[in-house]
Amino acid sequence: MTSQYRVNYHLRAHKRDSLIEFIKGMLLTPFVLHSQPTNAQTHVTENAQRFSEIFSSIEHLIQEHRSFTRQGIPTYSRLAKLVPSIGTFFTPLPLQLAFERVNAQDKISARKHVPPSFNDVRRILNMAQAMAIAPQLKLVTFDGDMTLYADGQNFEEDHGLTALLISLLRRGINVAIVTAAGYGDDAKRYEHRLSGLLAGFGKARLEAEEAARFFVLGGECNFLFRTVIQQGNRYGLEYVSDAEYSASGLRSWTDSQVQQLLDVAETELRDCVERMAISAEILRKPRAVGLVPQAQLTREQLDECALSSQLALLKYQGSPKSQPCDVPIPFCAFNGGNDCWVDIGNKLIGVRILQDMLESPPEATLHVGDQFLSTGNDLSTRTACCTCWIINPEETERILTELEKMF
């Protein structure tokens, strides 16, 4: 499931997903018209049938859109006219079957007072994507915070996700964490964040070939590491220099250009601190600049910092109506939940680097993350691969468990 966004933030809410909102609207009509049944069991059965038919219809709309996309005329599809911001679907989506599976677990059709929600539709899309990609899956990439572990925390030892990630590696599937955390080429700091997972690799006695399928790409797309078995059978990370893989076509900026762009971002963040009277520290890194509050900020304040920085950088590069990935120096300005960062590069570039290196096409690549709104740093990956939108590590575990059943 993918969707591209060209959003005027002054006219349109930036906390929405157009495809999910469209599907919600389609499901609302039968819910409202049939919300007062005379027989409870009949209500459940008939509701399930109505919802199932709607998902079947949307499934066909997606198939038609894929057909027009292959012909090079995606805007001719009915779905593109109904959801103008829709992007590319790299696989079919078996939405009807996915709804039936999710409904069996969550009993959506049994509700009389709460209509199908944003989260219901999001989970159904996740299930459909997992079902579609399982037969040809070659690469799974994950966000870090709030996807594999709690925000700002480390990967805990004996976490339920450990066995699921090891299973993917043993099946010959490449696994990578693509994270905004940027520690340069300091492997030890990434090892500390992932200490529980690396310990799990040791307990499972992964073969060197299996462990080598696990990668970490830090700073969105800037610092690549591979897993190696070190002295004493300890599993650790080894920095992969730029010369060892091809990224020149994707990261073609110079250090001077990077610093000029970061100067603009830093100036904008300092302006946000001043005009909103925020108590925060501005941190500058080689390829990023961030605002770290000294007292908790509201989501709206962090969104303001992210959107202000984004617009300032687009204006600086002469393309205020473009997307952050369409300008000469791609960047990512995002609300990190507790802070706000501007990174040089983005996860779109990160995923493409891994795809090129591991020869994994979009239809065989899955990115799992929690930041798919317009102020999130997972959004750009929708241009490069299939995606699953989760909201916490527990949902990641749930979708990987379902994926495991499909192999």
Side-chain angles (χ1 to χ4, degrees), residues 26-295:
M26 296 285 288
L27 296 170
L28 185 60
T29 299
F31 179 84
V32 170
L33 292 177
H34 304 280
S35 62
Q36 298 298 327
T38 55
N39 181 283
Q41 187 54 47
T42 300
H43 163 74
V44 173
T45 303
E46 291 181 349
N47 251 10
Q49 180 63 30
R50 293 184 190 104
F51 292 159
S52 182
E53 289 172 356
I54 289 171
F55 278 109
S56 176
S57 297
I58 296 169
E59 188 176 325
H60 285 104
L61 286 175
I62 290 173
Q63 283 289 70
E64 180 197 69
H65 182 73
R66 280 170 46 81
S67 177
F68 277 109
T69 300
R70 285 192 293 269
Q71 298 173 54
I73 48 174
T75 56
Y76 282 39
S77 76
R78 287 179 292 167
L79 186 59
K81 291 176 171 56
L82 293 165
V83 187
S85 64
I86 204 70
T88 302
F89 294 87
F90 296 110
T91 67
L93 288 182
L95 289 172
Q96 185 175 27
L97 184 55
F99 163 73
E100 291 168 0
R101 287 199 184 185
V102 173
N103 188 51
Q105 297 171 354
D106 299 342
K107 310 301 181 188
I108 299 169
S109 63
R111 300 199 305 242
K112 294 193 296 183
H113 305 290
V114 179
S117 69
F118 183 98
N119 283 328
D120 291 326
V121 176
R122 180 180 54 77
R123 284 191 286 265
I124 291 165
L125 287 167
N126 287 347
M127 179 68 76
Q129 187 60 84
M131 294 167 66
I133 203 171
Q136 69 264 17
L137 186 61
K138 293 184 67 175
L139 169 64
V140 188
T141 63
F142 296 90
D143 175 39
D145 292 80
M146 293 307 295
T147 298
L148 295 177
Y149 38 80
D151 191 28
Q153 302 301 307
N154 301 329
F155 197 111
E156 296 178 359
E157 195 167 348
D158 298 323
H159 193 289
L161 281 166
T162 303
L164 293 166
L165 295 176
I166 289 172
S167 176
L168 291 173
L169 295 170
R170 284 182 165 160
R171 291 181 183 277
I173 297 169
N174 296 291
V175 176
I177 298 177
V178 182
T179 174
Y183 308 129
D185 60 1
D186 187 354
K188 296 296 182 184
R189 294 192 65 182
Y190 289 102
E191 287 176 356
H192 177 70
R193 296 293 305 273
L194 300 172
S195 57
L197 179 60
L198 294 172
F201 289 173
K203 288 182 178 179
R205 297 183 179 178
L206 279 183
E207 299 289 339
E209 182 182 2
E210 295 168 337
R213 298 191 189 106
F214 182 79
F215 301 86
V216 176
L217 188 51
E220 310 281 359
C221 64
N222 289 293
F223 312 106
L224 180 63
F225 301 83
R226 68 164 67 94
T227 306
V228 294
I229 302 179
Q230 299 170 340
Q231 190 173 9
N233 287 327
R234 175 182 171 275
Y235 290 75
L237 299 176
E238 177 183 77
Y239 178 65
V240 182
S241 68
D242 292 358
E244 295 184 56
Y245 62 96
S246 176
S248 59
L250 296 170
R251 297 195 318 230
S252 57
W253 50 79
T254 66
D255 186 63
S256 174
Q257 291 173 318
V258 166
Q259 298 312 313
Q260 289 174 16
L261 203 67
L262 291 178
D263 287 343
V264 175
E266 182 175 345
T267 298
E268 189 62 31
L269 287 175
R270 292 190 183 282
D271 178 69
C272 289
V273 168
E274 184 177 347
R275 61 188 165 87
M276 290 192 287
I278 293 172
S279 176
E281 182 182 3
I282 304 297
L283 294 183
R284 182 78 173 252
K285 296 184 178 183
R287 298 183 188 177
V289 60
L291 180 151
V292 180
Q294 295 172 347

Side-chain angles (χ1 to χ4, degrees), residues 143 179-180 219-222 253 261-262 265 269 287-290 305-307 309-311 313-314 317 323-327 329-336 340-350 371 373-381:
D143 175 39
T179 174
E220 310 281 359
C221 64
N222 289 293
W253 50 79
L261 203 67
L262 291 178
L269 287 175
R287 298 183 188 177
V289 60
C305 295
L307 296 174
S309 301
Q310 184 180 109
L311 185 58
L313 292 176
L314 290 173
Q317 298 194 75
Q323 289 290 287
C325 54
D326 297 331
V327 289
I329 304 178
F331 65 90
C332 182
F334 66 97
N335 173 352
C340 173
W341 283 90
V342 177
D343 291 335
I344 299 299
N346 52 40
K347 290 187 180 180
L348 166 61
I349 296 174
Q371 294 279 348
L373 292 171
S374 61
T375 53
N377 63 346
D378 292 306
L379 177 62
S380 63
T381 63

Side-chain angles (χ1 to χ4, degrees), residues 365-376:
T365 305
L366 179 68
H367 179 73
V368 182
D370 70 308
Q371 294 279 348
F372 283 100
L373 292 171
S374 61
T375 53

